[in-house]
Amino acid sequence: MSAVKVWRATDYVRMPWKNGGGSTEEITRDSGIGLEGFGWRLSIADIGESGGFSTFAGYQRVITVIKGAGMVLTVDGEEQRGLLPLQPFAFKGESEVSCRLITGPIRDFNLIYSPQRYHARLQWVDGVQRFFSTAQTVLVFSVADEVKVLDQTLGHHDCLQIDGNTGLLDIAVTGRCCLIELTPLG
Protein backbone atom coordinates (compact mmCIF):
# COMPACT_ATOMS: atom_id res chain seq x y z
CA MET A 1 0.00 0.00 0.00
CA SER A 2 1.35 3.41 -0.97
CA ALA A 3 1.89 6.07 1.68
CA VAL A 4 0.68 9.61 0.94
CA LYS A 5 2.15 12.68 2.65
CA VAL A 6 1.41 16.35 2.05
CA TRP A 7 4.24 18.81 2.66
CA ARG A 8 3.05 22.36 3.37
CA ALA A 9 5.12 25.32 2.17
CA THR A 10 4.80 26.97 5.59
CA ASP A 11 6.73 24.06 7.14
CA TYR A 12 9.74 23.93 4.79
CA VAL A 13 13.10 24.24 6.53
CA ARG A 14 15.45 26.96 5.28
CA MET A 15 19.13 26.00 5.01
CA PRO A 16 22.25 27.68 3.61
CA TRP A 17 23.51 26.85 0.13
CA LYS A 18 26.43 24.49 -0.10
CA ASN A 19 28.56 27.38 -1.43
CA GLY A 20 27.20 29.85 1.16
CA GLY A 21 25.81 32.20 -1.50
CA GLY A 22 22.15 32.06 -0.49
CA SER A 23 19.52 29.84 1.03
CA THR A 24 17.19 27.02 0.07
CA GLU A 25 13.94 25.69 1.48
CA GLU A 26 14.03 21.91 1.42
CA ILE A 27 10.70 20.30 0.50
CA THR A 28 11.50 16.59 0.80
CA ARG A 29 14.16 13.97 0.05
CA ASP A 30 14.58 10.22 0.13
CA SER A 31 17.30 9.96 2.81
CA GLY A 32 20.43 11.52 4.30
CA ILE A 33 21.07 14.56 6.47
CA GLY A 34 22.12 18.04 5.40
CA LEU A 35 23.62 17.98 1.92
CA GLU A 36 24.92 14.40 2.11
CA GLY A 37 23.58 10.92 1.50
CA PHE A 38 20.41 11.65 -0.46
CA GLY A 39 19.40 9.83 -3.64
CA TRP A 40 16.98 12.63 -4.59
CA ARG A 41 15.95 15.96 -3.13
CA LEU A 42 13.38 18.67 -3.91
CA SER A 43 13.95 22.27 -2.89
CA ILE A 44 13.11 25.91 -3.59
CA ALA A 45 15.92 28.47 -3.83
CA ASP A 46 15.74 32.24 -3.64
CA ILE A 47 18.28 33.92 -5.91
CA GLY A 48 18.70 37.61 -5.14
CA GLU A 49 21.68 38.35 -7.38
CA SER A 50 23.62 36.89 -10.26
CA GLY A 51 26.33 34.45 -9.27
CA GLY A 52 27.59 30.88 -9.05
CA PHE A 53 25.75 27.67 -8.18
CA SER A 54 26.88 24.97 -5.76
CA THR A 55 28.22 21.79 -7.31
CA PHE A 56 26.75 18.36 -6.65
CA ALA A 57 29.17 15.87 -8.23
CA GLY A 58 27.52 12.62 -9.26
CA TYR A 59 24.02 14.13 -9.38
CA GLN A 60 21.71 15.35 -12.12
CA ARG A 61 19.88 18.65 -11.60
CA VAL A 62 16.66 19.99 -13.07
CA ILE A 63 15.90 23.65 -12.29
CA THR A 64 12.75 25.64 -13.06
CA VAL A 65 12.07 29.35 -12.40
CA ILE A 66 8.80 29.63 -10.44
CA LYS A 67 8.80 33.36 -9.59
CA GLY A 68 10.40 36.36 -11.29
CA ALA A 69 11.31 37.11 -14.91
CA GLY A 70 13.96 34.41 -15.25
CA MET A 71 17.69 33.98 -15.65
CA VAL A 72 20.37 33.04 -18.13
CA LEU A 73 22.62 30.17 -17.09
CA THR A 74 26.21 29.65 -18.13
CA VAL A 75 27.09 25.94 -17.90
CA ASP A 76 30.75 24.91 -18.22
CA GLY A 77 31.55 28.18 -19.99
CA GLU A 78 28.65 28.07 -22.47
CA GLU A 79 25.77 30.52 -22.13
CA GLN A 80 22.39 28.77 -22.42
CA ARG A 81 19.04 30.05 -23.65
CA GLY A 82 17.13 32.32 -21.27
CA LEU A 83 15.37 30.27 -18.61
CA LEU A 84 11.86 31.69 -18.32
CA PRO A 85 9.20 30.71 -15.74
CA LEU A 86 8.06 27.05 -15.81
CA GLN A 87 10.69 26.03 -18.39
CA PRO A 88 12.76 23.22 -16.80
CA PHE A 89 16.47 22.97 -17.55
CA ALA A 90 18.63 19.93 -16.78
CA PHE A 91 22.38 19.89 -16.17
CA LYS A 92 25.02 17.76 -14.49
CA GLY A 93 25.62 18.51 -10.81
CA GLU A 94 29.40 18.67 -11.28
CA SER A 95 29.11 21.33 -14.01
CA GLU A 96 30.36 24.83 -13.28
CA VAL A 97 27.17 26.91 -13.39
CA SER A 98 26.48 30.59 -12.89
CA CYS A 99 23.38 32.65 -13.50
CA ARG A 100 22.63 36.15 -14.70
CA LEU A 101 19.24 37.38 -13.52
CA ILE A 102 17.13 38.92 -16.30
CA THR A 103 15.41 41.72 -14.34
CA GLY A 104 15.79 40.97 -10.65
CA PRO A 105 15.38 38.33 -7.95
CA ILE A 106 13.84 34.96 -8.78
CA ARG A 107 12.68 31.84 -7.00
CA ASP A 108 13.44 28.45 -8.49
CA PHE A 109 12.36 24.86 -7.97
CA ASN A 110 15.03 22.16 -7.97
CA LEU A 111 15.15 18.42 -8.37
CA ILE A 112 18.58 16.94 -7.63
CA TYR A 113 18.95 13.19 -8.04
CA SER A 114 21.55 10.47 -8.45
CA PRO A 115 21.21 8.95 -11.96
CA GLN A 116 23.11 5.90 -10.67
CA ARG A 117 20.39 5.30 -8.07
CA TYR A 118 17.17 6.65 -9.65
CA HIS A 119 15.38 7.09 -12.95
CA ALA A 120 13.55 10.44 -12.83
CA ARG A 121 10.89 12.03 -14.99
CA LEU A 122 9.75 15.65 -14.50
CA GLN A 123 6.96 17.46 -16.34
CA TRP A 124 4.93 20.64 -15.83
CA VAL A 125 1.18 20.46 -16.40
CA ASP A 126 -1.73 22.88 -16.23
CA GLY A 127 -5.48 22.36 -16.14
CA VAL A 128 -7.08 18.94 -15.72
CA GLN A 129 -4.66 16.05 -16.35
CA ARG A 130 -4.84 12.33 -15.75
CA PHE A 131 -1.75 10.15 -15.79
CA PHE A 132 -0.68 6.64 -14.94
CA SER A 133 2.60 5.81 -13.24
CA THR A 134 4.51 2.75 -12.10
CA ALA A 135 7.12 4.91 -10.31
CA GLN A 136 7.82 3.99 -6.69
CA THR A 137 7.69 7.66 -5.68
CA VAL A 138 5.44 10.30 -7.27
CA LEU A 139 5.58 13.97 -6.27
CA VAL A 140 3.11 16.71 -7.21
CA PHE A 141 4.39 20.26 -6.56
CA SER A 142 1.85 23.09 -6.80
CA VAL A 143 2.61 26.49 -8.32
CA ALA A 144 -1.07 27.52 -8.22
CA ASP A 145 -3.14 28.83 -5.32
CA GLU A 146 -5.01 25.53 -5.46
CA VAL A 147 -4.18 22.14 -6.98
CA LYS A 148 -6.39 19.11 -6.46
CA VAL A 149 -4.78 15.67 -6.50
CA LEU A 150 -6.21 12.44 -5.11
CA ASP A 151 -8.40 13.60 -2.23
CA GLN A 152 -6.05 16.45 -1.27
CA THR A 153 -6.00 20.18 -1.96
CA LEU A 154 -2.53 21.71 -2.28
CA GLY A 155 -1.88 25.40 -1.74
CA HIS A 156 0.84 27.53 -3.35
CA HIS A 157 4.18 25.58 -3.25
CA ASP A 158 2.73 22.65 -1.29
CA CYS A 159 3.86 19.17 -2.37
CA LEU A 160 2.11 15.81 -2.30
CA GLN A 161 4.38 12.75 -2.03
CA ILE A 162 3.32 9.16 -2.76
CA ASP A 163 5.85 6.54 -1.64
CA GLY A 164 5.98 2.77 -1.92
CA ASN A 165 3.97 2.34 -5.11
CA THR A 166 4.28 -1.18 -6.53
CA GLY A 167 1.43 -1.09 -9.05
CA LEU A 168 -0.07 1.23 -11.62
CA LEU A 169 -1.15 4.53 -10.06
CA ASP A 170 -4.07 6.35 -11.67
CA ILE A 171 -3.71 10.01 -10.70
CA ALA A 172 -5.85 12.98 -11.74
CA VAL A 173 -4.63 16.51 -11.04
CA THR A 174 -6.34 19.86 -11.50
CA GLY A 175 -4.21 23.01 -11.58
CA ARG A 176 -0.72 24.15 -12.51
CA CYS A 177 1.87 21.82 -11.02
CA CYS A 178 5.01 19.78 -11.53
CA LEU A 179 4.79 15.98 -11.65
CA ILE A 180 7.92 14.05 -10.73
CA GLU A 181 8.26 10.27 -10.96
CA LEU A 182 11.22 8.52 -9.28
CA THR A 183 12.06 4.84 -9.63
CA PRO A 184 15.05 3.21 -7.92
CA LEU A 185 17.48 1.45 -10.25
CA GLY A 186 18.53 -2.15 -9.62
Side-chain angles (χ1 to χ4, degrees), residues 19-49:
N19 70 5
S23 64
T24 293
E25 290 179 358
E26 184 173 272
I27 300 168
T28 183
R29 62 165 64 207
D30 67 334
S31 62
I33 295 173
L35 294 173
E36 305 301 325
F38 63 87
W40 61 264
R41 173 181 182 237
L42 283 186
S43 62
I44 299 170
D46 291 299
I47 302 178
E49 58 188 37

PDB file of all heavy atoms in Angstrom, residues 19-49:
ATOM      1  N   ASN A  19      27.473  26.425  -1.204  1.00  0.00           N
ATOM      2  CA  ASN A  19      28.564  27.379  -1.428  1.00  0.00           C
ATOM      3  C   ASN A  19      28.424  28.647  -0.582  1.00  0.00           C
ATOM      4  O   ASN A  19      29.215  29.574  -0.706  1.00  0.00           O
ATOM      5  CB  ASN A  19      28.672  27.740  -2.916  1.00  0.00           C
ATOM      6  CG  ASN A  19      27.513  28.585  -3.422  1.00  0.00           C
ATOM      7  OD1 ASN A  19      26.640  29.006  -2.657  1.00  0.00           O
ATOM      8  ND2 ASN A  19      27.495  28.832  -4.721  1.00  0.00           N
ATOM      9  N   GLY A  20      27.384  28.710   0.275  1.00  0.00           N
ATOM     10  CA  GLY A  20      27.201  29.850   1.165  1.00  0.00           C
ATOM     11  C   GLY A  20      26.610  31.087   0.520  1.00  0.00           C
ATOM     12  O   GLY A  20      26.443  32.103   1.175  1.00  0.00           O
ATOM     13  N   GLY A  21      26.257  31.020  -0.766  1.00  0.00           N
ATOM     14  CA  GLY A  21      25.810  32.204  -1.496  1.00  0.00           C
ATOM     15  C   GLY A  21      24.338  32.532  -1.390  1.00  0.00           C
ATOM     16  O   GLY A  21      23.874  33.470  -2.024  1.00  0.00           O
ATOM     17  N   GLY A  22      23.584  31.794  -0.615  1.00  0.00           N
ATOM     18  CA  GLY A  22      22.152  32.059  -0.491  1.00  0.00           C
ATOM     19  C   GLY A  22      21.510  30.995   0.369  1.00  0.00           C
ATOM     20  O   GLY A  22      22.190  30.309   1.135  1.00  0.00           O
ATOM     21  N   SER A  23      20.200  30.846   0.223  1.00  0.00           N
ATOM     22  CA  SER A  23      19.521  29.835   1.030  1.00  0.00           C
ATOM     23  C   SER A  23      18.467  29.097   0.224  1.00  0.00           C
ATOM     24  O   SER A  23      18.001  29.577  -0.804  1.00  0.00           O
ATOM     25  CB  SER A  23      18.890  30.462   2.279  1.00  0.00           C
ATOM     26  OG  SER A  23      17.876  31.364   1.913  1.00  0.00           O
ATOM     27  N   THR A  24      18.126  27.930   0.721  1.00  0.00           N
ATOM     28  CA  THR A  24      17.186  27.021   0.075  1.00  0.00           C
ATOM     29  C   THR A  24      16.171  26.570   1.104  1.00  0.00           C
ATOM     30  O   THR A  24      16.492  26.409   2.274  1.00  0.00           O
ATOM     31  CB  THR A  24      17.952  25.788  -0.466  1.00  0.00           C
ATOM     32  OG1 THR A  24      18.804  26.213  -1.520  1.00  0.00           O
ATOM     33  CG2 THR A  24      17.025  24.717  -0.972  1.00  0.00           C
ATOM     34  N   GLU A  25      14.941  26.348   0.654  1.00  0.00           N
ATOM     35  CA  GLU A  25      13.936  25.690   1.481  1.00  0.00           C
ATOM     36  C   GLU A  25      13.819  24.261   0.968  1.00  0.00           C
ATOM     37  O   GLU A  25      13.481  24.040  -0.199  1.00  0.00           O
ATOM     38  CB  GLU A  25      12.580  26.386   1.361  1.00  0.00           C
ATOM     39  CG  GLU A  25      12.550  27.747   2.001  1.00  0.00           C
ATOM     40  CD  GLU A  25      11.202  28.426   1.843  1.00  0.00           C
ATOM     41  OE1 GLU A  25      10.297  27.860   1.205  1.00  0.00           O
ATOM     42  OE2 GLU A  25      11.067  29.538   2.357  1.00  0.00           O
ATOM     43  N   GLU A  26      14.149  23.307   1.823  1.00  0.00           N
ATOM     44  CA  GLU A  26      14.034  21.912   1.421  1.00  0.00           C
ATOM     45  C   GLU A  26      12.588  21.466   1.553  1.00  0.00           C
ATOM     46  O   GLU A  26      11.958  21.699   2.579  1.00  0.00           O
ATOM     47  CB  GLU A  26      14.943  21.034   2.270  1.00  0.00           C
ATOM     48  CG  GLU A  26      14.917  19.591   1.795  1.00  0.00           C
ATOM     49  CD  GLU A  26      15.929  18.734   2.502  1.00  0.00           C
ATOM     50  OE1 GLU A  26      17.069  18.683   2.027  1.00  0.00           O
ATOM     51  OE2 GLU A  26      15.572  18.128   3.524  1.00  0.00           O
ATOM     52  N   ILE A  27      12.078  20.807   0.499  1.00  0.00           N
ATOM     53  CA  ILE A  27      10.704  20.302   0.503  1.00  0.00           C
ATOM     54  C   ILE A  27      10.690  18.878   1.037  1.00  0.00           C
ATOM     55  O   ILE A  27      10.027  18.571   2.020  1.00  0.00           O
ATOM     56  CB  ILE A  27      10.105  20.357  -0.914  1.00  0.00           C
ATOM     57  CG1 ILE A  27      10.086  21.802  -1.425  1.00  0.00           C
ATOM     58  CG2 ILE A  27       8.704  19.737  -0.931  1.00  0.00           C
ATOM     59  CD1 ILE A  27       9.780  21.943  -2.894  1.00  0.00           C
ATOM     60  N   THR A  28      11.432  17.991   0.394  1.00  0.00           N
ATOM     61  CA  THR A  28      11.499  16.591   0.798  1.00  0.00           C
ATOM     62  C   THR A  28      12.694  15.935   0.119  1.00  0.00           C
ATOM     63  O   THR A  28      13.279  16.488  -0.802  1.00  0.00           O
ATOM     64  CB  THR A  28      10.174  15.846   0.476  1.00  0.00           C
ATOM     65  OG1 THR A  28      10.254  14.503   0.950  1.00  0.00           O
ATOM     66  CG2 THR A  28       9.869  15.852  -1.003  1.00  0.00           C
ATOM     67  N   ARG A  29      13.041  14.740   0.589  1.00  0.00           N
ATOM     68  CA  ARG A  29      14.158  13.968   0.046  1.00  0.00           C
ATOM     69  C   ARG A  29      13.942  12.515   0.416  1.00  0.00           C
ATOM     70  O   ARG A  29      13.100  12.198   1.243  1.00  0.00           O
ATOM     71  CB  ARG A  29      15.475  14.446   0.616  1.00  0.00           C
ATOM     72  CG  ARG A  29      15.494  14.234   2.121  1.00  0.00           C
ATOM     73  CD  ARG A  29      16.809  14.333   2.797  1.00  0.00           C
ATOM     74  NE  ARG A  29      17.388  15.641   2.720  1.00  0.00           N
ATOM     75  CZ  ARG A  29      18.696  15.853   2.769  1.00  0.00           C
ATOM     76  NH1 ARG A  29      19.524  14.853   2.907  1.00  0.00           N
ATOM     77  NH2 ARG A  29      19.187  17.059   2.708  1.00  0.00           N
ATOM     78  N   ASP A  30      14.750  11.639  -0.179  1.00  0.00           N
ATOM     79  CA  ASP A  30      14.582  10.216   0.135  1.00  0.00           C
ATOM     80  C   ASP A  30      15.327   9.804   1.393  1.00  0.00           C
ATOM     81  O   ASP A  30      14.852   8.958   2.141  1.00  0.00           O
ATOM     82  CB  ASP A  30      14.986   9.336  -1.051  1.00  0.00           C
ATOM     83  CG  ASP A  30      16.479   9.385  -1.352  1.00  0.00           C
ATOM     84  OD1 ASP A  30      17.135  10.391  -1.027  1.00  0.00           O
ATOM     85  OD2 ASP A  30      16.982   8.411  -1.937  1.00  0.00           O
ATOM     86  N   SER A  31      16.502  10.362   1.646  1.00  0.00           N
ATOM     87  CA  SER A  31      17.296   9.963   2.812  1.00  0.00           C
ATOM     88  C   SER A  31      18.435  10.950   3.017  1.00  0.00           C
ATOM     89  O   SER A  31      18.606  11.887   2.253  1.00  0.00           O
ATOM     90  CB  SER A  31      17.866   8.549   2.613  1.00  0.00           C
ATOM     91  OG  SER A  31      18.726   8.527   1.488  1.00  0.00           O
ATOM     92  N   GLY A  32      19.255  10.693   4.051  1.00  0.00           N
ATOM     93  CA  GLY A  32      20.430  11.525   4.301  1.00  0.00           C
ATOM     94  C   GLY A  32      20.110  12.707   5.196  1.00  0.00           C
ATOM     95  O   GLY A  32      18.956  12.991   5.515  1.00  0.00           O
ATOM     96  N   ILE A  33      21.169  13.401   5.587  1.00  0.00           N
ATOM     97  CA  ILE A  33      21.067  14.559   6.472  1.00  0.00           C
ATOM     98  C   ILE A  33      21.893  15.679   5.866  1.00  0.00           C
ATOM     99  O   ILE A  33      22.974  15.436   5.324  1.00  0.00           O
ATOM    100  CB  ILE A  33      21.571  14.219   7.884  1.00  0.00           C
ATOM    101  CG1 ILE A  33      20.659  13.169   8.522  1.00  0.00           C
ATOM    102  CG2 ILE A  33      21.639  15.473   8.761  1.00  0.00           C
ATOM    103  CD1 ILE A  33      21.159  12.648   9.844  1.00  0.00           C
ATOM    104  N   GLY A  34      21.402  16.906   5.962  1.00  0.00           N
ATOM    105  CA  GLY A  34      22.122  18.044   5.396  1.00  0.00           C
ATOM    106  C   GLY A  34      22.225  17.885   3.887  1.00  0.00           C
ATOM    107  O   GLY A  34      21.251  17.572   3.228  1.00  0.00           O
ATOM    108  N   LEU A  35      23.428  18.070   3.367  1.00  0.00           N
ATOM    109  CA  LEU A  35      23.624  17.976   1.916  1.00  0.00           C
ATOM    110  C   LEU A  35      24.292  16.672   1.514  1.00  0.00           C
ATOM    111  O   LEU A  35      24.842  16.544   0.429  1.00  0.00           O
ATOM    112  CB  LEU A  35      24.439  19.176   1.424  1.00  0.00           C
ATOM    113  CG  LEU A  35      23.708  20.506   1.584  1.00  0.00           C
ATOM    114  CD1 LEU A  35      24.623  21.666   1.233  1.00  0.00           C
ATOM    115  CD2 LEU A  35      22.444  20.542   0.742  1.00  0.00           C
ATOM    116  N   GLU A  36      24.251  15.674   2.383  1.00  0.00           N
ATOM    117  CA  GLU A  36      24.916  14.404   2.107  1.00  0.00           C
ATOM    118  C   GLU A  36      23.938  13.247   2.144  1.00  0.00           C
ATOM    119  O   GLU A  36      22.945  13.269   2.855  1.00  0.00           O
ATOM    120  CB  GLU A  36      26.025  14.156   3.147  1.00  0.00           C
ATOM    121  CG  GLU A  36      27.047  15.272   3.264  1.00  0.00           C
ATOM    122  CD  GLU A  36      27.783  15.562   1.977  1.00  0.00           C
ATOM    123  OE1 GLU A  36      28.051  14.634   1.194  1.00  0.00           O
ATOM    124  OE2 GLU A  36      28.084  16.749   1.741  1.00  0.00           O
ATOM    125  N   GLY A  37      24.251  12.208   1.382  1.00  0.00           N
ATOM    126  CA  GLY A  37      23.577  10.924   1.501  1.00  0.00           C
ATOM    127  C   GLY A  37      22.243  10.766   0.814  1.00  0.00           C
ATOM    128  O   GLY A  37      21.661   9.697   0.859  1.00  0.00           O
ATOM    129  N   PHE A  38      21.726  11.809   0.155  1.00  0.00           N
ATOM    130  CA  PHE A  38      20.414  11.649  -0.464  1.00  0.00           C
ATOM    131  C   PHE A  38      20.543  11.047  -1.864  1.00  0.00           C
ATOM    132  O   PHE A  38      21.548  11.220  -2.535  1.00  0.00           O
ATOM    133  CB  PHE A  38      19.631  12.968  -0.493  1.00  0.00           C
ATOM    134  CG  PHE A  38      20.254  14.073  -1.313  1.00  0.00           C
ATOM    135  CD1 PHE A  38      20.001  14.169  -2.672  1.00  0.00           C
ATOM    136  CD2 PHE A  38      21.075  15.022  -0.721  1.00  0.00           C
ATOM    137  CE1 PHE A  38      20.553  15.183  -3.426  1.00  0.00           C
ATOM    138  CE2 PHE A  38      21.637  16.047  -1.471  1.00  0.00           C
ATOM    139  CZ  PHE A  38      21.380  16.123  -2.831  1.00  0.00           C
ATOM    140  N   GLY A  39      19.484  10.343  -2.273  1.00  0.00           N
ATOM    141  CA  GLY A  39      19.398   9.835  -3.640  1.00  0.00           C
ATOM    142  C   GLY A  39      18.651  10.815  -4.528  1.00  0.00           C
ATOM    143  O   GLY A  39      18.916  10.946  -5.707  1.00  0.00           O
ATOM    144  N   TRP A  40      17.681  11.539  -3.927  1.00  0.00           N
ATOM    145  CA  TRP A  40      16.975  12.629  -4.594  1.00  0.00           C
ATOM    146  C   TRP A  40      16.516  13.643  -3.545  1.00  0.00           C
ATOM    147  O   TRP A  40      16.339  13.321  -2.391  1.00  0.00           O
ATOM    148  CB  TRP A  40      15.796  12.121  -5.435  1.00  0.00           C
ATOM    149  CG  TRP A  40      14.726  11.411  -4.657  1.00  0.00           C
ATOM    150  CD1 TRP A  40      14.602  10.067  -4.480  1.00  0.00           C
ATOM    151  CD2 TRP A  40      13.636  12.009  -3.931  1.00  0.00           C
ATOM    152  NE1 TRP A  40      13.507   9.784  -3.689  1.00  0.00           N
ATOM    153  CE2 TRP A  40      12.886  10.961  -3.347  1.00  0.00           C
ATOM    154  CE3 TRP A  40      13.212  13.325  -3.711  1.00  0.00           C
ATOM    155  CZ2 TRP A  40      11.758  11.176  -2.576  1.00  0.00           C
ATOM    156  CZ3 TRP A  40      12.082  13.548  -2.932  1.00  0.00           C
ATOM    157  CH2 TRP A  40      11.369  12.479  -2.381  1.00  0.00           C
ATOM    158  N   ARG A  41      16.334  14.867  -4.023  1.00  0.00           N
ATOM    159  CA  ARG A  41      15.953  15.965  -3.126  1.00  0.00           C
ATOM    160  C   ARG A  41      15.202  17.022  -3.921  1.00  0.00           C
ATOM    161  O   ARG A  41      15.593  17.350  -5.039  1.00  0.00           O
ATOM    162  CB  ARG A  41      17.220  16.564  -2.539  1.00  0.00           C
ATOM    163  CG  ARG A  41      17.026  17.802  -1.715  1.00  0.00           C
ATOM    164  CD  ARG A  41      18.390  18.306  -1.224  1.00  0.00           C
ATOM    165  NE  ARG A  41      18.243  19.460  -0.402  1.00  0.00           N
ATOM    166  CZ  ARG A  41      18.836  20.632  -0.646  1.00  0.00           C
ATOM    167  NH1 ARG A  41      19.620  20.775  -1.672  1.00  0.00           N
ATOM    168  NH2 ARG A  41      18.647  21.640   0.150  1.00  0.00           N
ATOM    169  N   LEU A  42      14.125  17.544  -3.339  1.00  0.00           N
ATOM    170  CA  LEU A  42      13.383  18.667  -3.912  1.00  0.00           C
ATOM    171  C   LEU A  42      13.577  19.888  -3.028  1.00  0.00           C
ATOM    172  O   LEU A  42      13.531  19.779  -1.808  1.00  0.00           O
ATOM    173  CB  LEU A  42      11.873  18.379  -3.934  1.00  0.00           C
ATOM    174  CG  LEU A  42      11.286  17.471  -4.974  1.00  0.00           C
ATOM    175  CD1 LEU A  42       9.764  17.479  -4.850  1.00  0.00           C
ATOM    176  CD2 LEU A  42      11.702  17.852  -6.358  1.00  0.00           C
ATOM    177  N   SER A  43      13.762  21.051  -3.667  1.00  0.00           N
ATOM    178  CA  SER A  43      13.952  22.269  -2.891  1.00  0.00           C
ATOM    179  C   SER A  43      13.528  23.489  -3.700  1.00  0.00           C
ATOM    180  O   SER A  43      13.343  23.417  -4.912  1.00  0.00           O
ATOM    181  CB  SER A  43      15.416  22.407  -2.454  1.00  0.00           C
ATOM    182  OG  SER A  43      16.248  22.512  -3.590  1.00  0.00           O
ATOM    183  N   ILE A  44      13.398  24.604  -2.989  1.00  0.00           N
ATOM    184  CA  ILE A  44      13.111  25.909  -3.586  1.00  0.00           C
ATOM    185  C   ILE A  44      14.250  26.833  -3.171  1.00  0.00           C
ATOM    186  O   ILE A  44      14.582  26.908  -1.988  1.00  0.00           O
ATOM    187  CB  ILE A  44      11.785  26.493  -3.068  1.00  0.00           C
ATOM    188  CG1 ILE A  44      10.614  25.572  -3.412  1.00  0.00           C
ATOM    189  CG2 ILE A  44      11.557  27.891  -3.626  1.00  0.00           C
ATOM    190  CD1 ILE A  44       9.309  25.967  -2.716  1.00  0.00           C
ATOM    191  N   ALA A  45      14.836  27.535  -4.146  1.00  0.00           N
ATOM    192  CA  ALA A  45      15.923  28.471  -3.832  1.00  0.00           C
ATOM    193  C   ALA A  45      15.512  29.889  -4.188  1.00  0.00           C
ATOM    194  O   ALA A  45      14.833  30.118  -5.190  1.00  0.00           O
ATOM    195  CB  ALA A  45      17.190  28.095  -4.599  1.00  0.00           C
ATOM    196  N   ASP A  46      15.932  30.822  -3.355  1.00  0.00           N
ATOM    197  CA  ASP A  46      15.736  32.240  -3.635  1.00  0.00           C
ATOM    198  C   ASP A  46      17.062  32.795  -4.118  1.00  0.00           C
ATOM    199  O   ASP A  46      18.076  32.702  -3.409  1.00  0.00           O
ATOM    200  CB  ASP A  46      15.265  32.974  -2.383  1.00  0.00           C
ATOM    201  CG  ASP A  46      13.860  32.568  -1.997  1.00  0.00           C
ATOM    202  OD1 ASP A  46      12.942  32.788  -2.810  1.00  0.00           O
ATOM    203  OD2 ASP A  46      13.671  32.014  -0.900  1.00  0.00           O
ATOM    204  N   ILE A  47      17.059  33.351  -5.331  1.00  0.00           N
ATOM    205  CA  ILE A  47      18.281  33.921  -5.910  1.00  0.00           C
ATOM    206  C   ILE A  47      18.083  35.419  -6.017  1.00  0.00           C
ATOM    207  O   ILE A  47      17.253  35.897  -6.797  1.00  0.00           O
ATOM    208  CB  ILE A  47      18.593  33.302  -7.293  1.00  0.00           C
ATOM    209  CG1 ILE A  47      18.740  31.783  -7.157  1.00  0.00           C
ATOM    210  CG2 ILE A  47      19.850  33.926  -7.884  1.00  0.00           C
ATOM    211  CD1 ILE A  47      18.992  31.073  -8.478  1.00  0.00           C
ATOM    212  N   GLY A  48      18.840  36.164  -5.207  1.00  0.00           N
ATOM    213  CA  GLY A  48      18.704  37.611  -5.144  1.00  0.00           C
ATOM    214  C   GLY A  48      19.641  38.366  -6.058  1.00  0.00           C
ATOM    215  O   GLY A  48      19.414  39.536  -6.351  1.00  0.00           O
ATOM    216  N   GLU A  49      20.710  37.690  -6.499  1.00  0.00           N
ATOM    217  CA  GLU A  49      21.676  38.354  -7.383  1.00  0.00           C
ATOM    218  C   GLU A  49      22.368  37.320  -8.251  1.00  0.00           C
ATOM    219  O   GLU A  49      22.394  36.135  -7.926  1.00  0.00           O
ATOM    220  CB  GLU A  49      22.696  39.146  -6.568  1.00  0.00           C
ATOM    221  CG  GLU A  49      23.472  38.315  -5.576  1.00  0.00           C
ATOM    222  CD  GLU A  49      24.335  39.175  -4.655  1.00  0.00           C
ATOM    223  OE1 GLU A  49      23.897  40.269  -4.276  1.00  0.00           O
ATOM    224  OE2 GLU A  49      25.442  38.730  -4.331  1.00  0.00           O
TER     225      GLU A  49
END
